[in-house]
Amino acid sequence: MTIMPNANRPSPKRGVLDIAAYIPGKESVPGVAKVYKLSANETPLGPSPHAIEAYQAAAHRLGIYPDGQAKALKEAIAETQGLNPANIMCGNGSDELLSLLAQTYLAPGDEAVVTEHGFLLYKIQTIAAGATPVTVKEKDERVDVDAVLEAVTPRTRIVFIANPNNPTGTYLPFEEVRRLHAGLPRTVLLILDAAYAEYVRRNDYEAGVELVSSSENVVMTRTFSKIHGLPGLRIGWMYAPAHVIDAVDRVRGPFNLNGAAIAAGAAAIRDRAHVEMSVAFNDKWLRWLDAELTALGLRVTPSVGNFLLVHFPDDPEKSAEKADAYLTSKGYILRRIGAYGFPNALRLTVGPEEANRGVIAVLSDFLK
Ligand code: PMP
């Protein structure tokens, strides 16, 4: 729907109506009883049982405000990750932290650099803050550090990088992140969105802790929605220099995390066995899916996350759109990602074993 500004009623500020609203993946298929939702990068293993217990216990504390500093959660994060709690801020999902960073650092006339296939929220939050997103081409579906550096102007205030990126699943080795940081003016904030960091099994990957600790202009954002299996509770966190924490704290709502989220998040991140099990499960099935899809003749972008970007043939009968319709009719919901610059690809989240096997069988049928 296109809403036009109207002189007879309040209008949103300039830019808001230019935003293409974020569309989450489908959840159900009318008429299909058994549905596998492989469209939202949720973990098939769900959260730690300790997180569920902590959530249930929180039901007895609904009559009081939560701790506005989310101290118990910050401490659990700091303890398990070996970080200073003073440099941690929690958010209502990492979405909220990305939004708060944009609200805090971007004003009209400012620019934020985003990449061609980068997570769409960066653009949305940049425009919502009244600033201008500058989109940079990627190379082989991966962030191109030189192109990002070339796009920086005196108006640039933020560079947003998802590492690993969604929906490509590709990542920048730490040396490349370091090179990117070294080339940026010190006044530009480099935001490393490491939502999928826990899944990465590569020696040359680092989520960003070291750069945050050793500089004044890097922030790393993380989430409990992926490996910790708590997207329904909306919990994110960031690790940032003290001056960034201080500034964003002034903009943040005083009780941005609810009490159940604080309790369940702390229990989840302390359950290291559950995290390890989830990483091992993902590793096994990510590799299996990649091999099976490749054997079907489909091109798959090499992924280090919990999802795969699957490219379909040029043949109009075998397109991503047709594949999506066929898969959906059989109860397999994947993610269409035309909005990310991939009109002929689908994103597939690693699911439970039967869903992984099922989706390959259905695709094999489809491609015959
Ligand atoms: N960053 C990236 C790259 C993501 O894929 C997502 C989830 N779609 C998020 C951030 C936001 O996650 P959440 O708000 O659930 O923490």
PDB file of all heavy atoms in Angstrom, residues 22 40-41 92-96 98 119 121-122 162-166 193-196 221-226 231 234-236 307 335 340 347, ligand 1:
ATOM      1  N   TYR A  22      10.025  -4.146   6.514  1.00  0.00           N
ATOM      2  CA  TYR A  22      10.647  -5.474   6.615  1.00  0.00           C
ATOM      3  C   TYR A  22       9.543  -6.534   6.626  1.00  0.00           C
ATOM      4  O   TYR A  22       8.591  -6.434   7.397  1.00  0.00           O
ATOM      5  CB  TYR A  22      11.454  -5.540   7.914  1.00  0.00           C
ATOM      6  CG  TYR A  22      12.266  -6.800   8.085  1.00  0.00           C
ATOM      7  CD1 TYR A  22      13.551  -6.895   7.584  1.00  0.00           C
ATOM      8  CD2 TYR A  22      11.750  -7.898   8.764  1.00  0.00           C
ATOM      9  CE1 TYR A  22      14.301  -8.044   7.746  1.00  0.00           C
ATOM     10  CE2 TYR A  22      12.487  -9.063   8.926  1.00  0.00           C
ATOM     11  CZ  TYR A  22      13.763  -9.121   8.417  1.00  0.00           C
ATOM     12  OH  TYR A  22      14.507 -10.264   8.587  1.00  0.00           O
ATOM     13  N   ALA A  40      13.247 -18.629   8.810  1.00  0.00           N
ATOM     14  CA  ALA A  40      13.526 -17.543   9.753  1.00  0.00           C
ATOM     15  C   ALA A  40      14.810 -17.756  10.552  1.00  0.00           C
ATOM     16  O   ALA A  40      15.013 -17.085  11.572  1.00  0.00           O
ATOM     17  CB  ALA A  40      12.333 -17.335  10.685  1.00  0.00           C
ATOM     18  N   ASN A  41      15.644 -18.683  10.097  1.00  0.00           N
ATOM     19  CA  ASN A  41      16.927 -18.945  10.773  1.00  0.00           C
ATOM     20  C   ASN A  41      16.778 -19.258  12.258  1.00  0.00           C
ATOM     21  O   ASN A  41      17.617 -18.878  13.087  1.00  0.00           O
ATOM     22  CB  ASN A  41      17.911 -17.785  10.551  1.00  0.00           C
ATOM     23  CG  ASN A  41      18.285 -17.654   9.083  1.00  0.00           C
ATOM     24  OD1 ASN A  41      17.978 -18.549   8.283  1.00  0.00           O
ATOM     25  ND2 ASN A  41      18.920 -16.567   8.711  1.00  0.00           N
ATOM     26  N   ASN A  92      16.238  -5.172  23.190  1.00  0.00           N
ATOM     27  CA  ASN A  92      15.060  -5.964  22.875  1.00  0.00           C
ATOM     28  C   ASN A  92      15.279  -6.573  21.483  1.00  0.00           C
ATOM     29  O   ASN A  92      14.737  -6.102  20.483  1.00  0.00           O
ATOM     30  CB  ASN A  92      13.840  -5.030  22.904  1.00  0.00           C
ATOM     31  CG  ASN A  92      12.548  -5.801  23.008  1.00  0.00           C
ATOM     32  OD1 ASN A  92      11.850  -5.996  22.025  1.00  0.00           O
ATOM     33  ND2 ASN A  92      12.239  -6.268  24.184  1.00  0.00           N
ATOM     34  N   GLY A  93      16.107  -7.604  21.440  1.00  0.00           N
ATOM     35  CA  GLY A  93      16.604  -8.118  20.162  1.00  0.00           C
ATOM     36  C   GLY A  93      17.776  -7.244  19.736  1.00  0.00           C
ATOM     37  O   GLY A  93      17.901  -6.093  20.175  1.00  0.00           O
ATOM     38  N   SER A  94      18.661  -7.796  18.891  1.00  0.00           N
ATOM     39  CA  SER A  94      19.732  -6.918  18.401  1.00  0.00           C
ATOM     40  C   SER A  94      19.146  -5.875  17.457  1.00  0.00           C
ATOM     41  O   SER A  94      19.729  -4.819  17.248  1.00  0.00           O
ATOM     42  CB  SER A  94      20.875  -7.711  17.765  1.00  0.00           C
ATOM     43  OG  SER A  94      20.416  -8.622  16.828  1.00  0.00           O
ATOM     44  N   ASP A  95      17.965  -6.153  16.911  1.00  0.00           N
ATOM     45  CA  ASP A  95      17.255  -5.150  16.112  1.00  0.00           C
ATOM     46  C   ASP A  95      17.183  -3.817  16.856  1.00  0.00           C
ATOM     47  O   ASP A  95      17.412  -2.760  16.281  1.00  0.00           O
ATOM     48  CB  ASP A  95      15.798  -5.580  15.877  1.00  0.00           C
ATOM     49  CG  ASP A  95      15.651  -6.609  14.782  1.00  0.00           C
ATOM     50  OD1 ASP A  95      16.646  -6.922  14.113  1.00  0.00           O
ATOM     51  OD2 ASP A  95      14.522  -7.100  14.601  1.00  0.00           O
ATOM     52  N   GLU A  96      16.824  -3.896  18.138  1.00  0.00           N
ATOM     53  CA  GLU A  96      16.663  -2.649  18.890  1.00  0.00           C
ATOM     54  C   GLU A  96      17.998  -1.923  19.033  1.00  0.00           C
ATOM     55  O   GLU A  96      18.071  -0.688  18.938  1.00  0.00           O
ATOM     56  CB  GLU A  96      16.073  -2.895  20.283  1.00  0.00           C
ATOM     57  CG  GLU A  96      15.687  -1.568  20.931  1.00  0.00           C
ATOM     58  CD  GLU A  96      15.605  -1.577  22.445  1.00  0.00           C
ATOM     59  OE1 GLU A  96      16.177  -2.448  23.100  1.00  0.00           O
ATOM     60  OE2 GLU A  96      14.969  -0.663  22.986  1.00  0.00           O
ATOM     61  N   LEU A  98      20.532  -2.038  16.981  1.00  0.00           N
ATOM     62  CA  LEU A  98      20.886  -1.448  15.687  1.00  0.00           C
ATOM     63  C   LEU A  98      20.109  -0.149  15.483  1.00  0.00           C
ATOM     64  O   LEU A  98      20.643   0.863  15.013  1.00  0.00           O
ATOM     65  CB  LEU A  98      20.595  -2.444  14.553  1.00  0.00           C
ATOM     66  CG  LEU A  98      21.456  -3.718  14.587  1.00  0.00           C
ATOM     67  CD1 LEU A  98      20.882  -4.801  13.677  1.00  0.00           C
ATOM     68  CD2 LEU A  98      22.903  -3.399  14.190  1.00  0.00           C
ATOM     69  N   PHE A 119      22.084  -7.211   5.544  1.00  0.00           N
ATOM     70  CA  PHE A 119      20.823  -7.323   6.281  1.00  0.00           C
ATOM     71  C   PHE A 119      20.015  -6.026   6.104  1.00  0.00           C
ATOM     72  O   PHE A 119      20.533  -4.925   6.305  1.00  0.00           O
ATOM     73  CB  PHE A 119      21.162  -7.578   7.754  1.00  0.00           C
ATOM     74  CG  PHE A 119      19.976  -7.831   8.628  1.00  0.00           C
ATOM     75  CD1 PHE A 119      18.951  -8.671   8.231  1.00  0.00           C
ATOM     76  CD2 PHE A 119      19.898  -7.233   9.880  1.00  0.00           C
ATOM     77  CE1 PHE A 119      17.857  -8.905   9.052  1.00  0.00           C
ATOM     78  CE2 PHE A 119      18.813  -7.464  10.715  1.00  0.00           C
ATOM     79  CZ  PHE A 119      17.786  -8.297  10.292  1.00  0.00           C
ATOM     80  N   LEU A 121      17.710  -4.413   7.617  1.00  0.00           N
ATOM     81  CA  LEU A 121      17.365  -3.503   8.698  1.00  0.00           C
ATOM     82  C   LEU A 121      18.273  -2.261   8.750  1.00  0.00           C
ATOM     83  O   LEU A 121      17.851  -1.191   9.191  1.00  0.00           O
ATOM     84  CB  LEU A 121      17.451  -4.258  10.026  1.00  0.00           C
ATOM     85  CG  LEU A 121      16.636  -3.600  11.112  1.00  0.00           C
ATOM     86  CD1 LEU A 121      15.168  -3.902  10.916  1.00  0.00           C
ATOM     87  CD2 LEU A 121      17.094  -4.073  12.468  1.00  0.00           C
ATOM     88  N   TYR A 122      19.516  -2.414   8.298  1.00  0.00           N
ATOM     89  CA  TYR A 122      20.452  -1.278   8.379  1.00  0.00           C
ATOM     90  C   TYR A 122      19.927  -0.093   7.566  1.00  0.00           C
ATOM     91  O   TYR A 122      19.986   1.046   7.998  1.00  0.00           O
ATOM     92  CB  TYR A 122      21.846  -1.662   7.849  1.00  0.00           C
ATOM     93  CG  TYR A 122      22.407  -2.956   8.392  1.00  0.00           C
ATOM     94  CD1 TYR A 122      23.246  -3.757   7.617  1.00  0.00           C
ATOM     95  CD2 TYR A 122      22.109  -3.385   9.678  1.00  0.00           C
ATOM     96  CE1 TYR A 122      23.770  -4.936   8.107  1.00  0.00           C
ATOM     97  CE2 TYR A 122      22.631  -4.569  10.175  1.00  0.00           C
ATOM     98  CZ  TYR A 122      23.454  -5.341   9.384  1.00  0.00           C
ATOM     99  OH  TYR A 122      23.968  -6.513   9.862  1.00  0.00           O
ATOM    100  N   ALA A 162      27.339  -7.064   8.385  1.00  0.00           N
ATOM    101  CA  ALA A 162      26.899  -8.300   9.037  1.00  0.00           C
ATOM    102  C   ALA A 162      27.978  -9.341   8.779  1.00  0.00           C
ATOM    103  O   ALA A 162      28.323  -9.604   7.631  1.00  0.00           O
ATOM    104  CB  ALA A 162      25.577  -8.773   8.458  1.00  0.00           C
ATOM    105  N   ASN A 163      28.522  -9.907   9.842  1.00  0.00           N
ATOM    106  CA  ASN A 163      29.611 -10.870   9.687  1.00  0.00           C
ATOM    107  C   ASN A 163      29.411 -12.031  10.662  1.00  0.00           C
ATOM    108  O   ASN A 163      29.691 -11.871  11.850  1.00  0.00           O
ATOM    109  CB  ASN A 163      30.953 -10.167   9.945  1.00  0.00           C
ATOM    110  CG  ASN A 163      32.111 -10.992   9.442  1.00  0.00           C
ATOM    111  OD1 ASN A 163      31.958 -11.758   8.487  1.00  0.00           O
ATOM    112  ND2 ASN A 163      33.260 -10.855  10.069  1.00  0.00           N
ATOM    113  N   PRO A 164      28.947 -13.193  10.168  1.00  0.00           N
ATOM    114  CA  PRO A 164      28.565 -13.533   8.799  1.00  0.00           C
ATOM    115  C   PRO A 164      27.316 -12.756   8.371  1.00  0.00           C
ATOM    116  O   PRO A 164      26.556 -12.301   9.204  1.00  0.00           O
ATOM    117  CB  PRO A 164      28.227 -15.021   8.877  1.00  0.00           C
ATOM    118  CG  PRO A 164      28.713 -15.506  10.182  1.00  0.00           C
ATOM    119  CD  PRO A 164      28.785 -14.347  11.089  1.00  0.00           C
ATOM    120  N   ASN A 165      27.170 -12.664   7.051  1.00  0.00           N
ATOM    121  CA  ASN A 165      26.021 -11.922   6.535  1.00  0.00           C
ATOM    122  C   ASN A 165      24.791 -12.820   6.361  1.00  0.00           C
ATOM    123  O   ASN A 165      24.910 -14.006   6.086  1.00  0.00           O
ATOM    124  CB  ASN A 165      26.381 -11.286   5.187  1.00  0.00           C
ATOM    125  CG  ASN A 165      25.261 -10.402   4.672  1.00  0.00           C
ATOM    126  OD1 ASN A 165      24.665  -9.645   5.434  1.00  0.00           O
ATOM    127  ND2 ASN A 165      24.944 -10.515   3.396  1.00  0.00           N
ATOM    128  N   ASN A 166      23.639 -12.228   6.515  1.00  0.00           N
ATOM    129  CA  ASN A 166      22.364 -12.841   6.183  1.00  0.00           C
ATOM    130  C   ASN A 166      21.820 -12.015   5.025  1.00  0.00           C
ATOM    131  O   ASN A 166      21.753 -10.797   5.165  1.00  0.00           O
ATOM    132  CB  ASN A 166      21.433 -12.728   7.407  1.00  0.00           C
ATOM    133  CG  ASN A 166      20.006 -13.094   7.105  1.00  0.00           C
ATOM    134  OD1 ASN A 166      19.730 -13.777   6.125  1.00  0.00           O
ATOM    135  ND2 ASN A 166      19.087 -12.635   7.940  1.00  0.00           N
ATOM    136  N   ASP A 193      27.830  -6.674  13.017  1.00  0.00           N
ATOM    137  CA  ASP A 193      26.650  -7.420  13.451  1.00  0.00           C
ATOM    138  C   ASP A 193      26.998  -8.907  13.354  1.00  0.00           C
ATOM    139  O   ASP A 193      27.061  -9.469  12.263  1.00  0.00           O
ATOM    140  CB  ASP A 193      25.477  -7.035  12.542  1.00  0.00           C
ATOM    141  CG  ASP A 193      24.235  -7.877  12.785  1.00  0.00           C
ATOM    142  OD1 ASP A 193      24.282  -8.851  13.562  1.00  0.00           O
ATOM    143  OD2 ASP A 193      23.199  -7.561  12.159  1.00  0.00           O
ATOM    144  N   ALA A 194      27.238  -9.513  14.514  1.00  0.00           N
ATOM    145  CA  ALA A 194      27.705 -10.897  14.546  1.00  0.00           C
ATOM    146  C   ALA A 194      26.596 -11.824  15.056  1.00  0.00           C
ATOM    147  O   ALA A 194      26.827 -12.673  15.927  1.00  0.00           O
ATOM    148  CB  ALA A 194      28.965 -10.994  15.394  1.00  0.00           C
ATOM    149  N   ALA A 195      25.397 -11.663  14.497  1.00  0.00           N
ATOM    150  CA  ALA A 195      24.226 -12.437  14.958  1.00  0.00           C
ATOM    151  C   ALA A 195      24.469 -13.950  14.857  1.00  0.00           C
ATOM    152  O   ALA A 195      23.935 -14.723  15.649  1.00  0.00           O
ATOM    153  CB  ALA A 195      22.991 -12.047  14.145  1.00  0.00           C
ATOM    154  N   TYR A 196      25.299 -14.360  13.883  1.00  0.00           N
ATOM    155  CA  TYR A 196      25.500 -15.804  13.655  1.00  0.00           C
ATOM    156  C   TYR A 196      26.888 -16.270  14.101  1.00  0.00           C
ATOM    157  O   TYR A 196      27.334 -17.348  13.712  1.00  0.00           O
ATOM    158  CB  TYR A 196      25.277 -16.125  12.164  1.00  0.00           C
ATOM    159  CG  TYR A 196      23.880 -15.765  11.707  1.00  0.00           C
ATOM    160  CD1 TYR A 196      23.602 -14.507  11.175  1.00  0.00           C
ATOM    161  CD2 TYR A 196      22.829 -16.657  11.862  1.00  0.00           C
ATOM    162  CE1 TYR A 196      22.318 -14.155  10.790  1.00  0.00           C
ATOM    163  CE2 TYR A 196      21.540 -16.315  11.485  1.00  0.00           C
ATOM    164  CZ  TYR A 196      21.294 -15.064  10.953  1.00  0.00           C
ATOM    165  OH  TYR A 196      20.015 -14.720  10.592  1.00  0.00           O
ATOM    166  N   THR A 221      27.462  -6.322  17.704  1.00  0.00           N
ATOM    167  CA  THR A 221      26.128  -6.701  18.197  1.00  0.00           C
ATOM    168  C   THR A 221      25.958  -8.216  18.102  1.00  0.00           C
ATOM    169  O   THR A 221      26.475  -8.853  17.186  1.00  0.00           O
ATOM    170  CB  THR A 221      24.996  -6.002  17.418  1.00  0.00           C
ATOM    171  OG1 THR A 221      25.092  -6.367  16.036  1.00  0.00           O
ATOM    172  CG2 THR A 221      25.078  -4.495  17.547  1.00  0.00           C
ATOM    173  N   ARG A 222      25.228  -8.763  19.067  1.00  0.00           N
ATOM    174  CA  ARG A 222      24.994 -10.215  19.131  1.00  0.00           C
ATOM    175  C   ARG A 222      23.524 -10.461  19.474  1.00  0.00           C
ATOM    176  O   ARG A 222      22.812  -9.541  19.886  1.00  0.00           O
ATOM    177  CB  ARG A 222      25.887 -10.830  20.213  1.00  0.00           C
ATOM    178  CG  ARG A 222      27.368 -10.601  19.988  1.00  0.00           C
ATOM    179  CD  ARG A 222      27.916 -11.506  18.909  1.00  0.00           C
ATOM    180  NE  ARG A 222      28.031 -12.865  19.376  1.00  0.00           N
ATOM    181  CZ  ARG A 222      29.138 -13.390  19.894  1.00  0.00           C
ATOM    182  NH1 ARG A 222      30.243 -12.659  19.987  1.00  0.00           N
ATOM    183  NH2 ARG A 222      29.172 -14.643  20.298  1.00  0.00           N
ATOM    184  N   THR A 223      23.101 -11.704  19.350  1.00  0.00           N
ATOM    185  CA  THR A 223      21.696 -12.004  19.612  1.00  0.00           C
ATOM    186  C   THR A 223      21.492 -13.334  20.323  1.00  0.00           C
ATOM    187  O   THR A 223      22.331 -14.233  20.218  1.00  0.00           O
ATOM    188  CB  THR A 223      20.896 -12.003  18.291  1.00  0.00           C
ATOM    189  OG1 THR A 223      19.517 -12.205  18.585  1.00  0.00           O
ATOM    190  CG2 THR A 223      21.352 -13.101  17.344  1.00  0.00           C
ATOM    191  N   PHE A 224      20.372 -13.430  21.024  1.00  0.00           N
ATOM    192  CA  PHE A 224      19.933 -14.703  21.621  1.00  0.00           C
ATOM    193  C   PHE A 224      18.906 -15.404  20.717  1.00  0.00           C
ATOM    194  O   PHE A 224      18.339 -16.423  21.078  1.00  0.00           O
ATOM    195  CB  PHE A 224      19.314 -14.449  23.001  1.00  0.00           C
ATOM    196  CG  PHE A 224      20.344 -14.255  24.092  1.00  0.00           C
ATOM    197  CD1 PHE A 224      21.080 -13.089  24.172  1.00  0.00           C
ATOM    198  CD2 PHE A 224      20.574 -15.249  25.030  1.00  0.00           C
ATOM    199  CE1 PHE A 224      22.034 -12.906  25.164  1.00  0.00           C
ATOM    200  CE2 PHE A 224      21.519 -15.081  26.039  1.00  0.00           C
ATOM    201  CZ  PHE A 224      22.261 -13.909  26.105  1.00  0.00           C
ATOM    202  N   SER A 225      18.661 -14.813  19.536  1.00  0.00           N
ATOM    203  CA  SER A 225      17.612 -15.355  18.665  1.00  0.00           C
ATOM    204  C   SER A 225      18.085 -16.532  17.831  1.00  0.00           C
ATOM    205  O   SER A 225      17.264 -17.257  17.270  1.00  0.00           O
ATOM    206  CB  SER A 225      17.121 -14.260  17.707  1.00  0.00           C
ATOM    207  OG  SER A 225      16.644 -13.153  18.415  1.00  0.00           O
ATOM    208  N   LYS A 226      19.389 -16.704  17.680  1.00  0.00           N
ATOM    209  CA  LYS A 226      19.887 -17.748  16.766  1.00  0.00           C
ATOM    210  C   LYS A 226      20.353 -18.960  17.574  1.00  0.00           C
ATOM    211  O   LYS A 226      19.560 -19.814  17.895  1.00  0.00           O
ATOM    212  CB  LYS A 226      20.999 -17.173  15.889  1.00  0.00           C
ATOM    213  CG  LYS A 226      20.665 -15.829  15.259  1.00  0.00           C
ATOM    214  CD  LYS A 226      19.487 -15.891  14.314  1.00  0.00           C
ATOM    215  CE  LYS A 226      19.116 -14.477  13.846  1.00  0.00           C
ATOM    216  NZ  LYS A 226      17.907 -14.437  13.028  1.00  0.00           N
ATOM    217  N   PRO A 231      14.295 -16.423  19.956  1.00  0.00           N
ATOM    218  CA  PRO A 231      13.823 -15.242  19.203  1.00  0.00           C
ATOM    219  C   PRO A 231      12.509 -14.691  19.748  1.00  0.00           C
ATOM    220  O   PRO A 231      12.246 -13.499  19.653  1.00  0.00           O
ATOM    221  CB  PRO A 231      13.663 -15.760  17.770  1.00  0.00           C
ATOM    222  CG  PRO A 231      13.527 -17.242  17.897  1.00  0.00           C
ATOM    223  CD  PRO A 231      14.359 -17.624  19.088  1.00  0.00           C
ATOM    224  N   ARG A 234      13.071 -11.870  22.375  1.00  0.00           N
ATOM    225  CA  ARG A 234      13.693 -10.627  21.918  1.00  0.00           C
ATOM    226  C   ARG A 234      14.840 -10.194  22.833  1.00  0.00           C
ATOM    227  O   ARG A 234      14.676  -9.333  23.706  1.00  0.00           O
ATOM    228  CB  ARG A 234      12.668  -9.473  21.775  1.00  0.00           C
ATOM    229  CG  ARG A 234      11.363  -9.819  21.115  1.00  0.00           C
ATOM    230  CD  ARG A 234      11.552 -10.346  19.700  1.00  0.00           C
ATOM    231  NE  ARG A 234      12.329  -9.430  18.874  1.00  0.00           N
ATOM    232  CZ  ARG A 234      13.436  -9.781  18.217  1.00  0.00           C
ATOM    233  NH1 ARG A 234      13.904 -11.028  18.281  1.00  0.00           N
ATOM    234  NH2 ARG A 234      14.083  -8.914  17.507  1.00  0.00           N
ATOM    235  N   ILE A 235      16.001 -10.799  22.658  1.00  0.00           N
ATOM    236  CA  ILE A 235      17.172 -10.425  23.458  1.00  0.00           C
ATOM    237  C   ILE A 235      18.383 -10.268  22.543  1.00  0.00           C
ATOM    238  O   ILE A 235      18.730 -11.181  21.791  1.00  0.00           O
ATOM    239  CB  ILE A 235      17.541 -11.508  24.508  1.00  0.00           C
ATOM    240  CG1 ILE A 235      16.306 -12.004  25.254  1.00  0.00           C
ATOM    241  CG2 ILE A 235      18.598 -10.965  25.476  1.00  0.00           C
ATOM    242  CD1 ILE A 235      16.565 -13.238  26.111  1.00  0.00           C
ATOM    243  N   GLY A 236      19.008  -9.105  22.620  1.00  0.00           N
ATOM    244  CA  GLY A 236      20.275  -8.891  21.925  1.00  0.00           C
ATOM    245  C   GLY A 236      21.245  -8.224  22.883  1.00  0.00           C
ATOM    246  O   GLY A 236      20.854  -7.790  23.968  1.00  0.00           O
ATOM    247  N   PHE A 307      22.093 -21.355   7.751  1.00  0.00           N
ATOM    248  CA  PHE A 307      21.204 -21.254   6.591  1.00  0.00           C
ATOM    249  C   PHE A 307      22.044 -21.286   5.321  1.00  0.00           C
ATOM    250  O   PHE A 307      23.269 -21.067   5.379  1.00  0.00           O
ATOM    251  CB  PHE A 307      20.407 -19.943   6.654  1.00  0.00           C
ATOM    252  CG  PHE A 307      21.291 -18.742   6.796  1.00  0.00           C
ATOM    253  CD1 PHE A 307      21.803 -18.092   5.679  1.00  0.00           C
ATOM    254  CD2 PHE A 307      21.678 -18.271   8.044  1.00  0.00           C
ATOM    255  CE1 PHE A 307      22.657 -17.003   5.804  1.00  0.00           C
ATOM    256  CE2 PHE A 307      22.535 -17.182   8.176  1.00  0.00           C
ATOM    257  CZ  PHE A 307      23.024 -16.547   7.061  1.00  0.00           C
ATOM    258  N   ARG A 335      12.684 -19.045   2.455  1.00  0.00           N
ATOM    259  CA  ARG A 335      12.574 -17.585   2.406  1.00  0.00           C
ATOM    260  C   ARG A 335      12.851 -17.064   0.998  1.00  0.00           C
ATOM    261  O   ARG A 335      13.929 -17.329   0.448  1.00  0.00           O
ATOM    262  CB  ARG A 335      13.546 -16.970   3.400  1.00  0.00           C
ATOM    263  CG  ARG A 335      13.464 -15.475   3.544  1.00  0.00           C
ATOM    264  CD  ARG A 335      12.160 -15.060   4.202  1.00  0.00           C
ATOM    265  NE  ARG A 335      12.300 -13.718   4.728  1.00  0.00           N
ATOM    266  CZ  ARG A 335      12.560 -13.449   5.993  1.00  0.00           C
ATOM    267  NH1 ARG A 335      12.674 -14.407   6.875  1.00  0.00           N
ATOM    268  NH2 ARG A 335      12.676 -12.202   6.379  1.00  0.00           N
ATOM    269  N   TYR A 340      16.665  -8.708  -1.219  1.00  0.00           N
ATOM    270  CA  TYR A 340      18.105  -8.645  -0.936  1.00  0.00           C
ATOM    271  C   TYR A 340      18.938  -8.707  -2.220  1.00  0.00           C
ATOM    272  O   TYR A 340      20.154  -8.893  -2.171  1.00  0.00           O
ATOM    273  CB  TYR A 340      18.515  -9.815  -0.032  1.00  0.00           C
ATOM    274  CG  TYR A 340      18.091  -9.656   1.405  1.00  0.00           C
ATOM    275  CD1 TYR A 340      16.858 -10.100   1.850  1.00  0.00           C
ATOM    276  CD2 TYR A 340      18.945  -9.050   2.325  1.00  0.00           C
ATOM    277  CE1 TYR A 340      16.466  -9.951   3.181  1.00  0.00           C
ATOM    278  CE2 TYR A 340      18.567  -8.901   3.648  1.00  0.00           C
ATOM    279  CZ  TYR A 340      17.337  -9.351   4.069  1.00  0.00           C
ATOM    280  OH  TYR A 340      16.978  -9.194   5.379  1.00  0.00           O
ATOM    281  N   ARG A 347      16.408 -18.851   0.508  1.00  0.00           N
ATOM    282  CA  ARG A 347      17.255 -19.103   1.677  1.00  0.00           C
ATOM    283  C   ARG A 347      16.631 -20.234   2.490  1.00  0.00           C
ATOM    284  O   ARG A 347      15.440 -20.189   2.805  1.00  0.00           O
ATOM    285  CB  ARG A 347      17.385 -17.841   2.528  1.00  0.00           C
ATOM    286  CG  ARG A 347      18.506 -17.953   3.575  1.00  0.00           C
ATOM    287  CD  ARG A 347      18.419 -16.846   4.605  1.00  0.00           C
ATOM    288  NE  ARG A 347      17.187 -16.975   5.368  1.00  0.00           N
ATOM    289  CZ  ARG A 347      16.681 -16.024   6.149  1.00  0.00           C
ATOM    290  NH1 ARG A 347      17.291 -14.868   6.244  1.00  0.00           N
ATOM    291  NH2 ARG A 347      15.561 -16.223   6.814  1.00  0.00           N
TER     292      ARG A 347
HETATM  293  N1  PMP B   1      21.321  -9.238  12.288  1.00  0.00           N
HETATM  294  C1  PMP B   1      21.198 -10.199  11.381  1.00  0.00           C
HETATM  295  C2  PMP B   1      22.277 -10.369  10.363  1.00  0.00           C
HETATM  296  C3  PMP B   1      20.065 -11.034  11.380  1.00  0.00           C
HETATM  297  O1  PMP B   1      19.916 -11.982  10.460  1.00  0.00           O
HETATM  298  C4  PMP B   1      19.067 -10.834  12.369  1.00  0.00           C
HETATM  299  C5  PMP B   1      17.832 -11.708  12.425  1.00  0.00           C
HETATM  300  N2  PMP B   1      17.060 -11.710  11.290  1.00  0.00           N
HETATM  301  C6  PMP B   1      19.249  -9.799  13.285  1.00  0.00           C
HETATM  302  C7  PMP B   1      20.395  -9.034  13.233  1.00  0.00           C
HETATM  303  C8  PMP B   1      18.233  -9.434  14.320  1.00  0.00           C
HETATM  304  O2  PMP B   1      18.047 -10.405  15.246  1.00  0.00           O
HETATM  305  P1  PMP B   1      17.286 -10.140  16.619  1.00  0.00           P
HETATM  306  O3  PMP B   1      16.638  -8.786  16.559  1.00  0.00           O
HETATM  307  O4  PMP B   1      16.297 -11.231  16.717  1.00  0.00           O
HETATM  308  O5  PMP B   1      18.347 -10.175  17.667  1.00  0.00           O
END
